[in-house]
Amino acid sequence: MRKLLLHPWAKPLVFVLCLLPLAWLVYATASNQLGANPAEALIRATGDWTLRALCLVLAVTPLRVLTATPQLARFRRMLGLFVFFYALLHLLCYSWFDMGFEIADIAVDIVKRPFILVGFAAFVLLILMAATSFNRAIRALGAKRWQALHRTVYAVAGLAVLHFFWMRAGKNDFGEVAVYAAILAVLLGWRAWQAARKRAVKAASSAAAVSR
């Protein structure tokens, strides 16, 4: 398994797999398979794939640690950029199909509707992370500041679930929201547990050193 993850074709294969949802949406649009309201179907589908990609990228570190497979880390940056890619498609579909690319109307809508406001806030954070996802940005910002910036992905996860929750509140349909919230809670909870565990180990080590 580890050798397969290091294979030269592994990254191109993951790249193609990440594009399959887009390929399906293009095909479904061209073949009129999106139902009675194709615009709404595209907006919802791109939003769903953004959340799925977000869950996937946040799952990389737990899987890497729990399975002792450090090779998984080489896919994290690409997966993170696909979160931004599908979020951008989601925003473009909303801006085009719902708002006709009327910038003034979009700005008013963002301020007026809370679920769009939190979704847009999450997108702004994704822009910052995507723009600094390259080695040159890491060198320019410094490792600590770069890590602090990219930890805002946790805020993105919270905002994304809140966006989805408020969007579904009008229809009183929270089934899918609960699924995504549970997945993200587990992934973020694991990180919180790991951080607390490391602090406890560090505190124990410091106490032992003082007592010597």
Side-chain angles (χ1 to χ4, degrees):
M1 180 64 177
R2 294 175 184 178
K3 288 183 179 180
L4 289 175
L5 292 173
L6 291 173
H7 194 281
W9 281 100
K11 274 192 172 182
L13 177 60
V14 171
F15 185 86
V16 171
L17 289 173
C18 289
L19 284 175
L20 287 181
L22 175 61
W24 162 248
L25 289 175
V26 171
Y27 169 76
T29 302
S31 57
N32 197 27
Q33 295 188 35
L34 292 177
N37 192 339
E40 182 182 354
L42 284 171
I43 294 170
R44 288 187 58 180
T46 51
D48 288 344
W49 281 109
T50 302
L51 268 172
R52 290 165 189 161
L54 182 60
C55 290
L56 188 58
V57 75
L58 287 173
V60 169
T61 297
L63 286 174
R64 175 178 61 81
V65 173
L66 294 172
T67 63
T69 313
Q71 294 81 4
L72 286 170
R74 66 194 296 256
F75 302 99
R76 185 168 49 197
R77 184 181 304 184
M78 183 196 304
L79 294 173
L81 287 171
F82 268 106
V83 175
F84 172 73
F85 174 70
Y86 281 106
L88 178 61
L89 289 179
H90 183 56
L91 178 62
L92 288 175
C93 286
Y94 154 76
S95 300
W96 183 9
F97 300 130
D98 268 7
M99 309 303 294
F101 282 128
E102 292 291 337
I103 303 300
D105 290 344
I106 292 171
V108 170
D109 207 35
I110 289 172
V111 174
K112 184 172 68 174
R113 296 205 279 178
F115 87 94
I116 296 180
L117 178 61
V118 298
F120 187 73
F123 182 70
V124 170
L125 293 177
L126 286 174
I127 290 174
L128 295 175
M129 286 187 285
T132 57
S133 63
F134 305 100
N135 292 335
R136 186 178 296 178
I138 298 173
R139 290 193 295 270
L141 290 171
K144 287 187 177 180
R145 280 183 292 181
W146 184 87
Q147 287 176 351
L149 173 61
H150 282 253
R151 285 195 186 103
T152 57
V153 69
Y154 308 145
V156 170
L159 290 169
V161 170
L162 184 58
H163 170 71
F164 197 22
F165 174 83
W166 271 339
M167 189 270 290
R168 286 296 180 89
K171 299 178 181 179
N172 199 29
D173 180 8
F174 301 111
E176 285 184 79
V177 179
V179 172
Y180 285 114
I183 292 171
L184 290 169
V186 169
L187 295 172
L188 297 181
W190 179 87
R191 285 170 165 81
W193 173 71
Q194 285 286 99
R197 185 178 157 197
K198 287 179 181 177
R199 284 195 298 269
V201 170
K202 187 175 180 181
S205 299
S206 298
V210 169
S211 65
R212 287 175 186 172

